[in-house]
Amino acid sequence: MATPTTLVHFSGHEHFRNRLVLSILSGRHVKIDKIRTDDKNPGLRDFEVSLLRLLEKVTNGTIIEISVTGTAILLKPGIIAGGPITHECPLSRSIGYFMEPIIMLAPFAKKAVNLTLKGITTDEHDLSADLLRTVTLPHLQLFGISDGLELRIKKRGAAPNGGGEVQFLCPIVKQVKTLNFVDPGKIKRIRGIAHAVRVNPQFSNRMIEASRSILNRYIPDIYLYSDVYKGEESGKSPGYALTLLAESTTTALHCAEAISEPGVLPEDIALKATRALLTELDKGGCADRKHQCLVLLMMVLGSEDVGRCRMGEPTAKTIQFLRDIKDFFATSFKIVPAEPSDPECKQLLYSCYGTGYVNANRTLA
Amino acid sequence: MDERPHKSHRPSQSGGKHDKKEKAKGEKKQGFNEKAFAPKSGRRAEKQGRRTAEKDQTRLHVPLVDRTPDEEPPPVIIAIVGPAGVGKTTLLKSLVRRFTKQTLNEAKGPITVVSGKKRRLTFIECNNDLNSMTDIGKVADLVLLMIDGSYGFEMETFEFLNILQSHGFPKVIGILSHLDLIKKAATLKDTKKALKKRFWTEIYQGAKLFYLSGVINGRYPDTEIMNLSRFISVMNSSRTSKGKCDRTVTVYGYLRGTNLRLGNKVHIPGVGDLEMKSVTVLGDPCPLPNESSEKRRKLSEKKKLLIHAPMSDVGGVMYDKDAVYINVPGNFTRGNNEVYQGEGEQMVMDLQDVNSTLEDAVARSQIRLFGSSSKTLTVEPTREDDSDDEHDEEQGSDVEEEEDDWMLEEANTTGENTGRRGMRTVTRGLPTVGSTKPRGDIAYADSDSDLGGSDDEEEDGRRVRFGGEDEDRDIPSDEEGLEEEEDEDEEMSGVEEDVPKWKANLSQHAQQLSATSRKARRKDWTKLIYTTTLSPEQILDDAKEDRDGEGDDIENDEDDFFQIKTRATNVEAEVLDKTKDDIDEEELKKWEDEDMLDSLRRLFITGADVAAAEGGGEDGEGEGEDRFGAEYDSDNEEGDDEEGGDVPSSSTTLDPRAALAAKKEALKKKFDEHFAGIDAESRALVEGYRPGSYVRIELPNVPAELVENFDPTYPLIVGGLLPAEERFGYVQVRLKRHRWYAKTLKNNDPLILSLGWRRFQTIPTYSLDDHSIRMRMLKYTPEHMHCFATFYGPVALPNTGFCAFNSLAGSTPGFRVSATGVVLDVDRSVKIVKKIKLTGVPYKIFKNTAFVKDMFSTALEVAKFEGANVRTVSGIRGQVKKALPKPDGAFRATFEDKILKSDIVFLRAWYSVQPRKFYNPVTSLLLSNKSSWTGMRLTGAVRHEQKLNAPQNVNSTYKKIERAPRKFNPLVVPRKLQANLPYASKPKLMAAQRAPTYLQKRAVVMEPEEKKAVALLQQIRALRKDQVARRREKKGEKKEERKKKMRKEEERKEGRAKERKKEVMRIVGQKSRREEELAEGGGRSRKRTKT
């Protein structure tokens, strides 16, 4: 009866999240096999299974089939339903792992998403809750998703025991705007959040001091907040981190982050974060490197005009993401040097013709 | 005296008189009394203000981005619609004649003509089938709605207008024909007026209506057609609102709407969803005059001869991507010899006469190597691909065989590399459009990479080509590129059986890569990402190497590659899917250096402006790279000027308008300069195929019936689908039964919907919102009200309009559009409920408690309903308490009062309803008789056909209800209570008196006076009686007399009337006799028979 939509096939566990997101957005079935087949512990990890659970909660009518060995899955996506959802994240990954795909899906849901995630708020692999709030969400604003977009950090939770909680509110849109962002501008302000939970609150001040020792030479507009959560709100494990972000005159954002490691002074953590930010600024462009995928995805989903964005060189993840986009949406990017006259400039201009993706899930009146 | 014109008055332009006049003008305006229109009261003023504001609001529209390209817009589709016999074909012929000076004998299918320097028109005649009307209604830009003036509006016209309304209203011009049949001038005037009034109420007040008087030489009068064509030419034909479905193509045809991209599915109404295999831009068969060919402002008469009517009898030559087809006169299997044939035509005809294939010929021919050899050389039975090649050669020569071949291909769907296969739909039954290279022949090729190329070469070598001038129009590289890419994709997905081939390919790639990277230091990221199989890490590593300037030779490269591969599989088993890269401590070390830190100052607002110093010399190669981007810009700018508002950009202090104009000018210039240098293929890859280009689309796996039963008079539309539209789900729509549709729509009856591009039959479930609590199922659609309908089918975007039909057959009496509506929501589950009442009977009653049975069958069910509200018929409310152990499913319930044993206890619940998953696309184009499509029929229709009666449930039949008269026990009031009751309330226990009373049975003896009085009274009464009787008798006599008189009068009257009637009939008879005689003498009957 129903014409079978074409199946997209992948192998390997890498880029798992992006492929699931693309599948749900495009509505095409996806089959991923050979998931850690050669590993001692083959198959899906607990956080991947948890992510699948979360996606099942967010969507309606999704069918997920996992093979007996757990090394292959078949996803038949339903529609993105949204609404109030609560999810308990496993302690193996932070909530950033779960938030990133949700942020890509949430604007296209049927109802505004109100997602509460519980678990670790900051770890070394994924974007921390602070970064998501201060950098990722403003990236969505470039595409016209702004009113009611919010991430509340209710409790912080450091690894390994977590105990944090965030609430993500996202409005729905009919269509995302076409991006035309080629002027990176100049950095006009730097902001930062130093947080410390279940450790000496003085740690955050020490981090701020150390970071300022480098950044003060550039611009005066630097505010580094010391964010201390106490008691119940501070989670179950001790930890601290410094999150930095730089904003340009054209609202381009760049960020860096470093989190506490055992046996390392808070000053060193601060220096690490600051230097990472400088590296990021050096790479330049209009979008942060960690958010390349998000920006590119939204460009593809834009209206049927040419969207352009200037960014640094693609990361490995981005390259694979571009290929996956081609498989799912049959759209390819044109990538040319941003300044052809300058051989030293490594920035690239990404342009694509939007697919005119319209939120079909939206209810009319 | 000579007539010289008087000198005309010239008002003074300056001076005192002028100033005075100016002053007077400014001072006072004559004829407008402001006070007269001022509102009298404040409330009224407010009301007026509100109304004007409201009127202003209705004028506002959301600005729509017009994505039709300026330079080569697709032809405007002009559909000619009307009932049968109204003169559509005549109008089409007249218009074609007007625009191209060519006379068509048979006008079939779309006809494209050039009407102006920047304008082409495509005329489509729409037949009277509802399917065709639906399809045409979705694509037409301008509709010429033909109405028979002598007859008036017909049902089809209204149906078509309703279809238009639900799919976005194009411009409509009404045309009244057959006006010559009305002889009387006054009648003609009245008819025109009445029809115009009706037309205006249907479309809008002031809609254009044309009058065509009569037919001269098989065409309408030239002046009238010229007027009409002028209107068509100047018509701004943008649709008032466009549907969701936004891309339109015909299989060979012009793209409309927005860009078409490969990878998306398409839908052909009447056929189904299809995937596009390839899209090729072909040379425009009906090109607009360009700068060089047409220098004048107006279109010259010579150019007006251009016409493209692939299915009509014009031209006779058709260009395809790799072949040219010549239409030969007559039956195409056997040419008719009466018609004169040119040399070329004769050749083609001769080709058709070949009965044996080349294979047969080879098999038959005998070759001896030497004159003395005894055995001839024999040809081995050929491999599959050989024979296929031969088929390829002969294609077009033998029709029957060709058809068979095609069918075979349909059956054989195993091969993945399908080769190319034609869509043979549009060439007037010519079965060979495109090469029909059967599948499965590619596996024998030596290596992957040369597959595509050799394939093409072979074809080029063998095919007999007529004329080479179409060479430059098509893009030969397309096929190769695509196929190569496909192969690579396959490799990427891990097909690694053929190791040597794989290796060879890799080294090739590596070579290619290293070569390119050395030649131009800058990498081509687009190519690296999309056309190589390198892993992302390799691409990045390569980039690093490049940056370091390490020139590895190829061998090394290759080794490197394999190392990485092995490492990837074994050592680095766990690569986390993470967003944050690990911070490289080593790299951060550089920031300890003060100079490095200072080098970043330029990035901050406080730093010096380095960029200004940097700008300067332009690189030669860089420019080439920029071309496409620049051209892109111009598109974007033209597309949406407003949309870029939110994007930060360096604003200039100049007058914004002038700046914009200058910018546009510059971009346009750039565009013109570099347009020739752009690779059309890569451009199509990025942005798709632009509207206005003439393309050929290959659709694999098309049902054979489409070709076999192709009829050019039925439109074939290829509509692009959005990715979301390929999915299936439950679609909730707001629906209203059409007020002209005679019946109500019943729940779970199949309905044919025209939604988006699609036409399909589905089973809707009707519902209404019940106090915002639940969606309650309806059995029938409500009268004069919208309701919701939910059905299973292909998803359409919310806000898409649709119309529905119960039957598409032309024989259906009455109005066929049964409902219209709009899509509200799309979901994978539905929440429609209907009411269900569970009934039970009490079998034991205590005070307020009762044991109820027969409502549930198990204790588990009872457990589910514990606490649910129940009610008796008499209205006593209660609650389900707990299941009872003894009869299964019985439970204890409490009530607010004692219930009776005869009461029925019921529980009101809601049962969720799932709409049936039924989706049946209307495949009318696959039928030989296109209008005879029948979908799922109603049960009633099936029963009627098979002469079955509706099955009756015995329990539902009405039977005589025998109710025993109810006996009530006597009311017994206890004696003790009786004693206490007041007297009035005491029960009346005494029986009624039966024996005659004393007054009745006593004897009466009268006194003498009394006797006298009684006698007198008796006498008086007797007298009176007699008097009355006599009076009555007399009255009766009088009445009789009067009756007699009246009867006489009546008779006289009747006689007179009879005579009068006789006279009238005589006159009528004479008249009819005279008329009959007249009719026999000649004079045509004007009575029309409608079909």
Side-chain angles (χ1 to χ4, degrees):
Chain A
M1 195 162 11
T3 48
T5 38
T6 42
L7 186 90
V8 187
H9 183 259
F10 292 110
S11 297
H13 68 278
E14 296 95 350
H15 316 288
F16 186 70
R17 291 182 292 169
N18 285 341
R19 284 165 179 172
L20 296 184
V21 165
L22 286 174
S23 164
I24 291 174
L25 283 175
S26 67
R28 300 178 102 170
H29 300 182
V30 68
K31 187 183 175 189
I32 302 175
D33 57 9
K34 296 187 182 141
I35 299 172
R36 300 192 187 89
T37 36
D38 299 334
D39 205 288
K40 268 179 250 158
N41 180 13
L44 291 169
R45 295 269 184 276
D46 60 341
F47 53 86
E48 283 162 345
V49 174
S50 177
L51 177 68
L52 289 172
R53 289 251 155 77
L54 176 60
L55 290 179
E56 209 168 25
K57 278 184 205 170
V58 172
T59 56
N60 181 16
T62 302
I63 298 166
I64 300 171
E65 287 167 20
I66 303 177
S67 69
V68 184
T69 54
T71 55
I73 70 155
L74 174 66
L75 178 80
K76 293 177 183 165
I79 61 140
I80 310 168
I85 306 152
T86 309
H87 187 71
E88 197 88 39
C89 304
L91 295 176
S92 44
R93 292 301 284 267
S94 77
I95 56 161
Y97 179 83
F98 301 92
M99 275 298 292
E100 286 165 37
I102 295 298
I103 285 174
M104 291 174 175
L105 296 177
F108 306 103
K110 186 180 284 297
K111 279 176 278 174
V113 170
N114 177 5
L115 173 69
T116 305
L117 287 176
K118 290 171 186 166
I120 298 167
T121 52
T122 312
D123 80 345
E124 67 268 30
H125 300 307
D126 300 296
L127 299 179
S128 69
D130 291 300
L131 276 186
L132 288 171
R133 187 170 66 85
T134 54
V135 184
T136 312
L137 299 191
H139 270 100
L140 282 184
Q141 284 177 0
L142 297 174
F143 299 95
I145 308 161
S146 54
D147 273 353
L149 186 66
E150 199 181 347
L151 184 79
R152 290 186 195 135
I153 304 171
K154 294 191 160 171
K155 293 175 192 169
R156 283 191 189 275
N161 287 332
E165 185 180 328
V166 298
Q167 189 186 16
F168 175 55
L169 302 169
C170 182
I172 55 167
V173 290
K174 190 184 171 216
Q175 200 170 21
V176 288
K177 284 182 182 164
T178 308
L179 183 71
N180 192 7
F181 199 1
V182 289
D183 182 15
K186 299 215 169 198
I187 306 299
K188 64 173 181 185
R189 66 164 79 109
I190 293 176
R191 295 285 178 270
I193 297 164
H195 80 261
V197 289
R198 298 206 175 274
V199 289
N200 188 349
Q202 209 51 42
F203 276 25
S204 56
N205 292 340
R206 281 164 69 186
M207 285 193 286
I208 290 168
E209 280 304 305
S211 181
R212 272 186 173 276
S213 70
I214 295 177
L215 293 176
N216 268 349
R217 78 189 64 211
Y218 295 118
I219 40 169
D221 190 2
I222 301 172
Y223 280 101
L224 306 180
Y225 303 93
S226 163
D227 197 8
V228 181
Y229 278 65
K230 280 181 188 158
E232 180 78 333
E233 292 174 340
S234 59
K236 292 171 182 162
S237 301
Y240 54 91
L242 177 66
T243 307
L244 292 170
L245 68 122
E247 191 184 339
S248 81
T249 47
T250 54
T251 70
L253 286 170
H254 294 280
C255 65
E257 190 178 46
I259 73 156
S260 58
E261 294 164 41
V264 183
L265 289 175
E267 281 83 0
D268 290 344
I269 296 297
L271 289 181
K272 194 172 155 189
T274 316
R275 284 170 180 161
L277 179 70
L278 293 181
T279 314
E280 182 66 47
L281 290 180
D282 195 24
K283 295 229 166 88
C286 297
D288 189 71
R289 265 180 8 125
K290 301 176 193 67
H291 296 90
Q292 279 177 346
C293 289
L294 178 68
V295 171
L296 292 174
L297 175 70
M298 290 298 169
M299 281 166 73
V300 167
L301 298 179
S303 61
E304 289 181 310
D305 291 305
V306 179
R308 295 185 302 166
C309 186
R310 178 173 163 159
M311 287 191 279
E313 287 186 346
T315 60
K317 195 182 165 200
T318 311
I319 291 173
Q320 188 56 47
F321 188 62
L322 287 172
R323 288 177 172 173
D324 292 348
I325 282 181
K326 187 158 183 277
D327 288 343
F328 280 103
F329 284 103
T331 297
S332 43
F333 276 81
K334 182 174 172 56
I335 304 167
V336 291
E339 286 173 33
S341 54
D342 180 13
E344 284 309 304
C345 179
K346 287 184 210 92
Q347 291 175 16
L348 301 168
L349 190 65
Y350 298 74
S351 51
C352 83
Y353 197 82
T355 51
Y357 188 85
V358 181
N359 185 358
N361 305 324
R362 205 173 49 108
T363 310
L364 194 74
Chain B
M1 255 190 85
D2 55 345
E3 286 282 347
R4 268 176 42 206
H6 294 290
K7 193 181 166 192
S8 60
H9 170 69
R10 279 188 280 172
S12 54
Q13 301 295 312
S14 61
K17 204 173 185 183
H18 176 256
D19 288 347
K20 214 166 144 190
K21 272 196 174 164
E22 276 296 284
K23 223 176 175 182
K25 218 188 275 173
E27 235 168 37
K28 194 181 162 195
K29 268 182 206 146
Q30 209 70 41
F32 182 72
N33 182 2
E34 281 165 345
K35 273 184 193 165
F37 299 101
K40 292 241 163 44
S41 73
R43 187 168 291 172
R44 188 159 179 181
E46 193 243 336
K47 227 182 216 172
Q48 262 179 17
R50 249 201 332 238
R51 178 160 160 70
T52 41
E54 215 159 75
K55 260 164 53 185
D56 284 347
Q57 283 297 312
T58 56
R59 237 174 272 141
L60 298 177
H61 283 286
V62 181
L64 276 174
V65 184
D66 184 16
R67 294 185 202 280
T68 15
D70 288 338
E71 65 268 22
E72 281 255 314
V76 177
I77 293 190
I78 298 169
I80 303 175
V81 185
V86 79
K88 297 187 292 288
T89 315
T90 320
L91 178 67
L92 179 63
K93 284 178 187 168
S94 312
L95 281 170
V96 168
R97 162 95 184 163
R98 157 86 190 117
F99 280 111
T100 67
K101 302 195 168 32
Q102 295 195 43
T103 314
L104 299 178
N105 288 328
E106 51 163 357
K108 275 189 200 162
I111 296 172
T112 308
V113 300
V114 176
S115 73
K117 282 191 76 172
K118 290 267 174 223
R119 205 172 160 84
R120 286 173 292 183
L121 309 174
T122 297
F123 292 104
I124 301 177
E125 184 189 334
C126 176
N127 54 21
N128 209 19
D129 183 26
L130 199 57
N131 287 315
S132 307
M133 291 203 284
T134 319
D135 292 347
I136 285 292
K138 289 170 188 172
V139 293
D141 298 307
L142 169 67
V143 173
L144 303 181
L145 192 61
M146 297 204 68
I147 299 148
D148 185 345
S150 65
Y151 185 87
F153 285 93
E154 282 165 63
M155 208 55 108
E156 286 89 351
T157 314
F158 289 119
E159 278 166 355
F160 183 70
L161 285 175
N162 271 287
I163 291 166
L164 287 187
Q165 269 164 9
S166 49
H167 292 123
F169 219 97
K171 288 264 158 46
V172 177
I173 292 180
I175 293 168
L176 288 181
S177 64
H178 292 304
L179 286 176
D180 54 330
L181 293 183
I182 304 172
K183 291 280 183 273
K184 222 167 153 188
T187 329
L188 183 65
K189 206 175 127 201
D190 288 347
T191 320
K192 275 183 179 178
K193 205 170 174 183
L195 289 177
K196 189 186 214 173
K197 205 174 161 210
R198 190 75 187 86
F199 187 68
W200 282 8
T201 49
E202 267 324 301
I203 316 275
Y204 61 90
Q205 289 298 309
K208 195 70 206 162
L209 195 60
F210 269 92
Y211 308 105
L212 297 180
S213 45
V215 177
I216 302 165
N217 294 334
R219 293 195 311 273
Y220 287 112
D222 284 345
T223 46
E224 286 172 2
I225 289 299
M226 200 164 77
N227 281 337
L228 178 61
S229 68
R230 277 190 187 141
F231 255 90
I232 291 170
S233 300
V234 297
M235 198 72 157
N236 175 16
S237 58
S238 64
R239 300 191 65 140
T240 41
S241 71
K242 196 108 176 133
K244 294 273 102 29
C245 16
D246 44 3
R247 298 161 202 145
T248 322
V249 250
T250 54
V251 172
Y252 279 79
Y254 292 98
L255 290 174
R256 294 161 203 288
T258 55
N259 292 17
L260 173 83
R261 260 178 282 200
L262 263 176
N264 286 338
K265 274 192 175 176
V266 292
H267 181 86
I268 302 183
V271 180
D273 285 8
L274 298 165
E275 243 165 296
M276 280 187 292
K277 187 146 163 290
S278 75
V279 180
T280 323
V281 179
L282 294 183
D284 203 328
C286 189
L288 285 170
N290 51 16
E291 250 358 277
S292 55
S293 71
E294 189 64 46
K295 293 232 162 37
R296 281 183 293 173
R297 252 186 79 238
K298 252 184 78 183
L299 192 67
S300 74
E301 291 299 302
K302 221 184 239 171
K303 290 281 181 252
K304 279 189 181 169
L305 295 175
L306 214 46
I307 178 170
H308 173 61
M311 276 157 280
S312 302
D313 57 345
V314 183
V317 179
M318 162 134 192
Y319 297 94
D320 193 8
K321 189 181 158 205
D322 41 18
V324 177
Y325 301 103
I326 297 177
N327 277 343
V328 288
N331 187 338
F332 101 118
T333 42
R334 289 248 44 94
N336 71 354
N337 298 319
E338 290 90 70
V339 184
Y340 167 75
Q341 289 162 357
E343 196 182 344
E345 284 166 348
Q346 193 58 56
M347 263 168 68
V348 177
M349 299 297 281
D350 288 347
L351 272 176
Q352 290 181 14
D353 291 337
V354 178
N355 286 322
S356 59
T357 61
L358 189 61
E359 189 188 12
D360 295 339
V362 169
R364 250 185 280 124
S365 68
Q366 295 185 335
I367 301 169
R368 282 165 214 258
L369 273 184
F370 307 104
S372 57
S373 22
S374 54
K375 268 178 108 179
T376 55
L377 285 176
T378 50
V379 179
E380 300 289 335
T382 46
R383 289 184 309 172
E384 201 194 333
D385 61 341
D386 282 352
S387 62
D388 285 337
D389 283 349
E390 273 146 31
H391 280 310
D392 211 18
E393 263 181 356
E394 308 148 13
Q395 64 166 198
S397 61
D398 193 331
V399 193
E400 303 307 317
E401 200 160 325
E402 177 55 44
E403 282 295 332
D404 286 346
D405 233 331
W406 205 73
M407 294 297 286
L408 264 177
E409 285 159 33
E410 283 301 318
N412 171 16
T413 49
T414 49
E416 278 183 33
N417 280 324
T418 50
R420 266 185 285 106
R421 225 153 40 69
M423 258 306 301
R424 301 113 35 92
T425 50
V426 230
T427 52
R428 209 215 288 193
L430 264 182
T432 54
V433 179
S435 69
T436 51
K437 196 165 173 109
R439 345 166 135 214
D441 57 343
I442 287 169
Y444 295 106
D446 292 323
S447 82
D448 270 18
S449 53
D450 61 2
L451 256 184
S454 65
D455 188 15
D456 248 19
E457 276 165 45
E458 267 171 30
E459 279 172 19
D460 281 7
R462 292 216 185 114
R463 187 172 309 258
V464 183
R465 298 183 69 115
F466 305 94
E469 78 280 0
D470 62 325
E471 190 75 82
D472 53 346
R473 284 181 183 160
D474 41 7
I475 295 101
S477 67
D478 149 54
E479 199 83 337
E480 282 171 54
L482 270 176
E483 242 157 84
E484 223 168 290
E485 221 175 279
E486 259 171 47
D487 294 340
E488 277 153 8
D489 282 353
E490 251 169 52
E491 268 169 39
M492 208 165 74
S493 56
V495 182
E496 300 175 13
E497 301 101 358
D498 198 357
V499 181
K501 196 165 70 182
W502 181 60
K503 263 185 185 166
N505 226 3
L506 275 179
S507 68
Q508 215 174 310
H509 278 307
Q511 270 179 19
Q512 196 188 334
L513 267 178
S514 62
T516 49
S517 65
R518 233 165 268 150
K519 205 158 67 184
R521 265 179 63 80
R522 187 166 285 136
K523 310 197 282 184
D524 187 352
W525 283 96
T526 320
K527 207 171 183 180
L528 273 175
I529 292 172
Y530 290 120
T531 58
T532 65
T533 55
L534 295 174
S535 75
E537 286 78 17
Q538 284 163 357
I539 293 176
L540 287 178
D541 284 350
D542 195 22
K544 260 185 203 137
E545 267 170 35
D546 257 21
R547 221 172 293 148
D548 300 343
E550 269 177 43
D552 284 21
D553 45 338
I554 305 145
E555 251 72 54
N556 224 342
D557 249 354
E558 221 171 295
D559 285 350
D560 220 22
F561 181 80
F562 284 116
Q563 276 165 13
I564 288 167
K565 182 72 184 165
T566 48
R567 220 186 328 131
T569 49
N570 298 333
V571 186
E572 272 183 37
E574 185 56 62
V575 183
L576 277 175
D577 182 12
K578 59 187 180 179
T579 318
K580 278 198 289 192
D581 289 337
D582 287 328
I583 297 169
D584 188 2
E585 297 278 359
E586 289 306 307
E587 210 176 317
L588 292 187
K589 285 258 165 62
K590 70 177 180 183
W591 298 114
E592 286 167 19
D593 185 15
E594 280 293 323
D595 291 342
M596 277 303 286
L597 287 174
D598 282 336
S599 71
L600 274 186
R601 278 189 194 280
R602 68 189 159 83
L603 294 175
F604 293 83
I605 40 171
T606 48
D609 191 9
V610 196
E614 264 174 23
E618 246 185 40
D619 236 342
E621 48 163 326
E623 202 183 341
E625 293 283 335
D626 199 29
R627 274 173 198 166
F628 185 46
E631 182 264 322
Y632 244 162
D633 297 0
S634 67
D635 286 356
N636 199 16
E637 289 298 323
E638 277 158 22
D640 52 341
D641 285 339
E642 302 91 351
E643 276 185 34
D646 61 314
V647 176
S649 60
S650 53
S651 59
T652 48
T653 49
L654 274 164
D655 176 32
R657 244 193 193 173
L660 195 72
K663 210 165 142 196
K664 264 191 178 171
E665 187 58 38
L667 284 167
K668 182 99 172 72
K669 219 168 159 190
K670 226 172 183 177
F671 176 82
D672 289 343
E673 273 171 21
H674 299 302
F675 189 66
I678 297 157
D679 175 15
E681 266 321 290
S682 63
R683 198 175 152 192
L685 189 73
V686 176
E687 64 155 6
Y689 297 89
R690 319 182 94 212
S693 48
Y694 187 80
V695 295
R696 158 204 155 121
I697 299 173
E698 271 188 61
L699 308 162
N701 302 327
V702 179
E705 289 83 1
L706 176 67
V707 184
E708 276 170 14
N709 302 328
F710 182 71
D711 181 357
T713 55
Y714 285 79
L716 186 79
I717 295 162
V718 183
L721 294 176
L722 293 174
E725 289 176 323
E726 291 170 24
R727 298 195 236 177
F728 276 74
Y730 290 109
V731 183
Q732 192 192 62
V733 297
R734 191 195 295 128
L735 171 139
K736 190 180 180 187
R737 185 177 68 84
H738 201 283
R739 64 204 165 97
W740 291 349
Y741 187 69
K743 299 174 196 161
T744 56
L745 301 176
K746 194 175 162 224
N747 196 39
N748 272 338
D749 269 357
L751 201 63
I752 298 162
L753 295 179
S754 159
L755 173 64
W757 288 122
R758 292 185 166 99
R759 287 184 268 120
F760 56 90
Q761 194 181 33
T762 187
I763 297 183
T765 303
Y766 302 113
S767 58
L768 259 186
D769 193 18
D770 193 11
H771 303 292
S772 298
I773 302 167
R774 59 185 84 86
M775 290 287 277
R776 199 174 158 184
M777 193 190 85
L778 295 174
K779 283 184 178 172
Y780 301 93
T781 52
E783 293 273 321
H784 319 300
M785 222 173 93
H786 282 100
C787 69
F788 296 112
T790 310
F791 59 85
Y792 178 81
V795 160
L797 293 181
N799 218 2
T800 313
F802 71 89
C803 57
F805 314 96
N806 268 29
S807 157
L808 296 169
S811 56
T812 319
F815 196 67
R816 280 177 291 182
V817 179
S818 54
T820 55
V822 70
V823 175
L824 295 180
D825 192 15
V826 172
D827 211 335
R828 289 298 170 94
S829 55
V830 284
K831 289 189 197 107
I832 299 175
V833 291
K834 68 176 175 188
K835 193 164 78 178
I836 187 170
K837 272 183 179 171
L838 307 175
T839 58
V841 287
Y843 67 94
K844 189 151 197 199
I845 296 164
F846 303 98
K847 264 188 175 165
N848 282 352
T849 305
F851 289 175
V852 183
K853 62 174 185 182
D854 292 347
M855 190 180 284
F856 304 111
S857 53
T858 60
L860 190 73
E861 286 174 13
V862 179
K864 173 93 177 135
F865 282 90
E866 262 174 28
N869 293 326
V870 290
R871 207 166 68 99
T872 67
V873 178
S874 51
I876 301 169
R877 290 168 295 182
Q879 204 177 27
V880 177
K881 284 292 181 194
K882 210 165 175 25
L884 291 169
K886 204 52 209 300
D888 245 355
F891 62 92
R892 174 166 59 86
T894 56
F895 293 88
E896 57 187 3
D897 201 351
K898 191 175 178 179
I899 61 168
L900 292 175
K901 194 93 181 285
S902 60
D903 262 341
I904 297 170
V905 178
F906 58 86
L907 189 153
R908 215 171 68 137
W910 299 97
Y911 180 75
S912 77
V913 182
Q914 287 293 314
R916 297 216 169 106
K917 278 194 170 185
F918 174 74
Y919 166 73
N920 184 16
V922 178
T923 52
S924 56
L925 284 183
L926 303 184
L927 302 173
S928 54
N929 181 9
K930 305 264 189 291
S931 53
S932 70
W933 186 85
T934 46
M936 183 201 238
R937 288 168 298 170
L938 294 179
T939 328
V942 176
R943 284 210 193 102
H944 179 75
E945 205 150 277
Q946 301 189 340
K947 299 198 170 58
L948 293 172
N949 290 325
Q952 279 190 327
N953 188 355
V954 248
N955 293 328
S956 302
T957 49
Y958 288 97
K959 283 167 265 180
K960 192 152 190 263
I961 299 167
E962 307 259 7
R963 283 204 181 96
R966 212 161 164 185
K967 263 196 209 154
F968 292 97
N969 291 334
L971 180 72
V972 181
V973 184
R975 188 167 301 157
K976 212 174 172 188
L977 182 66
Q978 247 180 71
N980 289 337
L981 281 175
Y983 179 77
S985 305
K986 272 191 192 180
K988 314 290 183 280
L989 295 174
M990 258 187 290
Q993 183 120 14
R994 236 179 253 152
T997 54
Y998 165 73
L999 280 175
Q1000 285 165 343
K1001 63 185 179 189
R1002 68 178 174 168
V1004 181
V1005 181
M1006 277 188 281
E1007 297 292 314
E1009 296 90 68
E1010 264 180 340
K1011 250 185 197 165
K1012 231 189 252 174
V1014 168
L1016 183 68
L1017 274 176
Q1018 216 166 358
Q1019 280 164 359
I1020 292 172
R1021 248 185 241 132
L1023 276 175
R1024 175 70 190 158
K1025 225 186 218 167
D1026 181 57
Q1027 201 180 2
V1028 168
R1030 263 188 288 140
R1031 216 178 265 166
R1032 194 176 285 150
E1033 203 175 320
K1034 219 171 192 181
K1035 230 180 207 171
E1037 265 167 35
K1038 257 186 189 164
K1039 246 184 204 165
E1040 197 65 25
E1041 222 166 85
R1042 192 177 146 70
K1043 225 182 234 170
K1044 226 183 256 173
K1045 213 168 137 194
M1046 289 297 282
R1047 215 180 296 135
K1048 229 180 238 167
E1049 187 86 344
E1050 193 83 342
E1051 263 166 30
R1052 219 176 41 233
K1053 255 188 199 167
E1054 225 162 71
R1056 250 183 295 163
K1058 218 174 187 175
E1059 227 153 77
R1060 234 191 348 253
K1061 216 177 196 174
K1062 219 173 178 178
E1063 180 67 17
V1064 168
M1065 290 313 285
R1066 197 177 53 79
I1067 292 167
V1068 167
Q1070 274 177 350
K1071 210 185 221 170
S1072 67
R1073 206 162 43 243
R1074 221 179 296 139
E1075 251 169 35
E1076 243 166 58
E1077 277 164 19
L1078 219 73
E1080 272 167 29
R1084 65 194 258 270
S1085 140
R1086 279 205 281 113
K1087 199 155 190 192
R1088 290 188 53 213
T1089 49
K1090 292 297 327 169
T1091 50

